Amino acid sequence: MRLLAALAPVALLVAAPPLLGCGGAPATDAGVCAGAGVCGSRYCVAGRCRPPSDLPSPIDARRVLLPPADLAVLAEDGAAAAPGVPDAVALGHAGAGDVVLLLRFTPTFGVDADIASAFVLLEPAPLAPPAERALTLEVARILEPWRSETATWGRQPRLSIPEVAAIVRRRPATPLRIDVTSLVRDWARRRKDDHGIAILAPGSDAVGAATSMGISQGAGPLLEVYVR
């Protein structure tokens, strides 16, 4: 069984707000963090250990928000997934097994754009219980064409080797920024095997992190790009 959703691509240009640090869990991979005091002489900002001089949202950049042109949620254990389009997905929930979130975006900035940084934003589902522990998410590049109408767990597109990209903390429930700067910068190269971004969540928690898909409430997944 598959959980599918699709959104029309609309870009919003707004002033670039400062990206603040997030707290709650130690880093599990070099550079990935979710709290103060785990980065040595650096700071945990937008999910990465960064030197004070490294601003993920430069003051001279404009902020572009893109909803996915296509979106699919693939659960390893289809029996644990509700039919139809979900309002929320419990990333990391052991009952659903591993989950892969497929996202394809239509950029509104030119191929020569100077990408300062880029993040996938995931919004927690309102009033959902927290996960039992901090959860690690991975990110990968989608290497072949796919459509939400036909993607399933058994027929998912090939992915690049996943990399640890973010840590979902238990509390407080705040929007999560997953750094995908290198993937978005690659779009300018017009690679033929570039077909979107995949977020992978191993099913290892009794509760999982409930994430809004933007069906009835919340914004759902968004791509936040800072362009100079």
Side-chain angles (χ1 to χ4, degrees), residues 99-129:
V99 170
V100 177
L101 177 62
L102 302 178
L103 301 164
R104 182 169 60 246
F105 300 94
T106 301
T108 58
F109 40 83
V111 295
D112 296 327
D114 181 4
I115 306 299
S117 56
F119 307 88
V120 170
L121 300 184
L122 299 180
E123 185 177 73
L127 304 179

Side-chain angles (χ1 to χ4, degrees), residues 12 16-22 31-33 43-50 54-59 61-68 101 103-105 109 114-123 137-139 165-167 175-185 187 196-199 220-228:
L12 302 176
L19 298 183
L20 304 179
C22 47
V32 178
C33 60
Y43 297 91
C44 185
V45 181
R48 293 293 177 95
C49 291
R50 306 175 191 271
D54 183 9
L55 296 177
S57 58
I59 59 176
R62 76 180 191 274
R63 184 183 185 225
V64 180
L65 287 179
L66 295 171
L101 177 62
L103 301 164
R104 182 169 60 246
F105 300 94
F109 40 83
D114 181 4
I115 306 299
S117 56
F119 307 88
V120 170
L121 300 184
L122 299 180
E123 185 177 73
L137 301 183
E138 298 175 320
V139 67
I167 301 171
L176 176 70
R177 281 182 168 89
I178 302 175
D179 195 321
V180 293
T181 303
S182 62
L183 299 183
V184 174
R185 285 175 177 167
W187 293 352
I197 296 170
I199 308 297
L222 293 170
L223 180 65
E224 177 185 50
V225 185
Y226 290 87
V227 184
R228 286 185 289 214

